[in-house]
Amino acid sequence: MSWTPLLITPQELAADLGRDRLSIVDASWYLPAQGRDAKAEFAAAHLPGAVFFDQDAVVMPDAGLPHTLPSPEIFAAAAGALGIRASDTIVVYDGMGLFSAPRVWWMFRTFGASDVRILDGGFPAWQAAGLPVESGGAVPEPATFDVRFDAEAVVGLEEMRRIVDAEATQIADARPAERFKGSQPEPRPGVRAGHMLGARSLPAAALAADGRLKSEADLRALFADAGLDPAQPVVTSCGSGVTAAAINFALAALGERPARLYDGSWTEWGSRDDTPVVTGDA
């Protein structure tokens, strides 16, 4: 049994397979440099009854930024087409263990689902446990997803400017430390290197070990080392809004107040010429 109810072990989930109102969601997504095809991997093998959530498709059209949160209507249509209801127990997983699943966990929570969990260790842990898989595409029975949108969960550009100017709210940056410092260039053309004034570096990769969320004690130590107080308000950011959600998930697992997520993240902030950028350590 996992240390937080927001995680479910492969063995626990396997015992629940086939249960009514259980939705299993493959939220795998990869960076281009990782050289993996999430859709092809899903077709080759996935958890029994799982559906594939395409993070590149369930977005706001013509937003001009990657992974921009869709409107409630777009999200409801996409979730309903996958056979998911807001009242379901929703279990999200990804192909790396704990990489892209937190973003979809956060999206479902933001749009009103109340019981959303992440598979501890993701698909690698499921396979390592010798549990059954399916192949091919999913053909879910459509459902109605009743949206209750939490607008407070999301931070837009203008509010982010005010947060940076005020220097009163903690900003947690989930990108690798080298990108935070500006010593490594950003992977997207035209995006400056560095970070927002006052931000703290807490790489998403540091929150997990072998694809599993670290212990409560380890997480609290990581936040402390980053100069972040989990009990105080936090806004998260990353490259395009995906891995930032790992910090949101970690704070929720710790039982702290919900963090907010800057949806445009560094792709938006770093690509503008009217947003201040600093380099070096926080």
Side-chain angles (χ1 to χ4, degrees):
M1 190 172 182
S2 298
W3 64 269
T4 167
L6 294 182
L7 290 171
I8 184 170
T9 69
Q11 292 77 13
E12 289 170 329
L13 181 56
D16 278 349
L17 288 179
R19 180 168 66 81
D20 189 37
R21 308 303 288 270
L22 171 68
S23 290
I24 303 175
V25 180
D26 186 324
S28 298
W29 174 85
Y30 303 108
L31 295 165
Q34 291 169 321
R36 296 177 64 172
D37 185 329
K39 289 183 180 179
E41 291 185 15
F42 177 84
H46 55 263
L47 267 66
V51 294
F52 182 76
F53 189 100
D54 190 341
Q55 298 197 53
D56 289 323
V58 188
V59 297
M60 182 63 78
D62 305 319
L65 293 167
H67 310 123
T68 302
L69 195 70
S71 67
E73 294 77 17
I74 290 173
F75 185 86
L82 294 174
I84 303 171
R85 300 172 179 84
S87 57
D88 288 351
T89 294
I90 303 168
V91 178
V92 186
Y93 73 91
D94 66 49
M96 291 182 65
L98 192 73
F99 179 67
S100 55
R103 168 71 182 195
V104 175
W105 168 88
W106 175 79
M107 291 176 74
F108 274 105
R109 293 265 296 235
T110 298
F111 285 112
S114 58
D115 186 8
V116 192
R117 310 176 196 184
I118 289 180
L119 178 62
D120 197 10
F123 194 54
W126 183 270
Q127 288 183 303
L131 295 168
V133 298
E134 292 180 345
S135 61
V139 187
E141 181 179 344
T144 298
F145 188 95
D146 295 318
V147 166
R148 298 185 308 280
F149 178 52
D150 179 10
E152 281 297 307
V154 191
V155 175
L157 174 62
E158 294 311 313
E159 186 177 5
M160 199 68 226
R161 291 184 195 272
R162 294 191 293 271
I163 289 170
V164 171
D165 289 344
E167 300 183 40
T169 301
Q170 301 175 109
I171 304 169
D173 191 320
R175 293 174 299 154
E178 293 76 17
R179 288 170 58 190
F180 176 87
K181 294 176 183 178
S183 59
Q184 178 179 312
E186 286 295 305
R188 293 180 174 86
V191 180
R192 294 172 291 167
H195 59 269
M196 287 173 267
L197 180 66
R200 300 287 181 172
S201 177
L202 181 55
L207 301 173
D210 298 323
R212 298 176 185 269
L213 187 69
K214 289 183 177 178
S215 69
E216 178 177 0
D218 287 344
L219 291 178
R220 292 196 180 278
L222 285 168
F223 278 96
D225 289 346
L228 295 164
D229 181 354
Q232 298 303 314
V234 176
V235 173
T236 64
S237 179
C238 60
S240 65
V242 175
T243 59
I247 301 177
N248 296 66
F249 182 73
L251 286 168
L254 291 172
E256 302 294 350
R257 70 174 72 195
R260 307 176 71 200
L261 192 150
Y262 171 33
D263 201 39
S265 279
W266 194 252
T267 299
E268 180 174 53
W269 192 272
S271 64
R272 302 180 64 91
D273 58 11
D274 61 350
T275 47
V277 171
V278 294
T279 57
D281 293 324

